[in-house]
Amino acid sequence: ICRYLRARKFNLKDTQELVESLADVWKEGQKHGFYPTAAEALGGESHESAFLTQFPLIMNGLTRNGCPLLYFPVKYMSIEGIECVCPMDTISKYMWHFAAHKCTNIVAKAKEEDPSRFV
């Protein structure tokens, strides 16, 4: 919630409107199990590796306290390239997959290997 408050400069009414507007997006992701596989998120026809060449979302390990370390160099993103690989509406579906499944699995594995790393 703090992230949303910051995004709206701690204006409670604006923050509430933002959260309410995102509820439908969350329900849509939940209805599909937050897209358990990249293939489901990308529509089944696109390959994740091809998608990531155009949408450079890079997970580079974990921080000291166990948070996923993500890089998203926007300047290398190619809208035209994404449209060649998959429909644009799949980006939000892929992000659900990434957050709910990929990151969760990576953090769980790291926590299993070294529980002292997590605060």
Side-chain angles (χ1 to χ4, degrees):
I1 290 179
C2 188
R3 180 179 77 175
Y4 297 122
L5 283 165
R6 276 192 209 119
R8 296 297 178 249
K9 299 185 180 181
F10 293 91
N11 180 309
L12 192 56
K13 184 178 181 222
D14 291 349
T15 302
Q16 185 176 4
E17 289 174 8
L18 173 65
V19 170
E20 288 172 357
S21 73
L22 296 174
D24 290 336
V25 174
W26 189 88
K27 287 177 186 175
E28 182 67 22
Q30 183 186 36
K31 184 169 69 173
H32 297 282
F34 299 105
Y35 305 94
T37 66
E40 288 177 69
L42 297 172
E45 296 177 15
S46 302
H47 293 283
E48 183 177 23
S49 58
F51 174 72
L52 291 175
T53 63
Q54 306 306 312
F55 188 82
L57 181 64
I58 303 160
M59 182 163 179
N60 191 22
L62 303 171
T63 61
R64 287 186 205 144
N65 65 352
C67 294
L69 181 59
L70 301 173
Y71 294 101
F72 182 52
V74 177
K75 71 179 186 178
Y76 297 115
M77 184 173 82
S78 168
I79 300 298
E80 295 83 9
I82 293 170
E83 289 175 332
C84 288
V85 175
C86 61
M88 289 299 287
D89 69 339
T90 59
I91 292 175
S92 62
K93 295 173 184 177
Y94 182 79
M95 293 308 294
W96 277 123
H97 161 72
F98 189 84
H101 299 287
K102 243 184 174 170
C103 286
T104 303
N105 293 340
I106 291 168
V107 170
K109 182 179 176 190
K111 190 172 186 179
E112 185 179 295
E113 291 173 3
D114 184 9
S116 66
R117 185 174 188 183
F118 294 81
V119 201

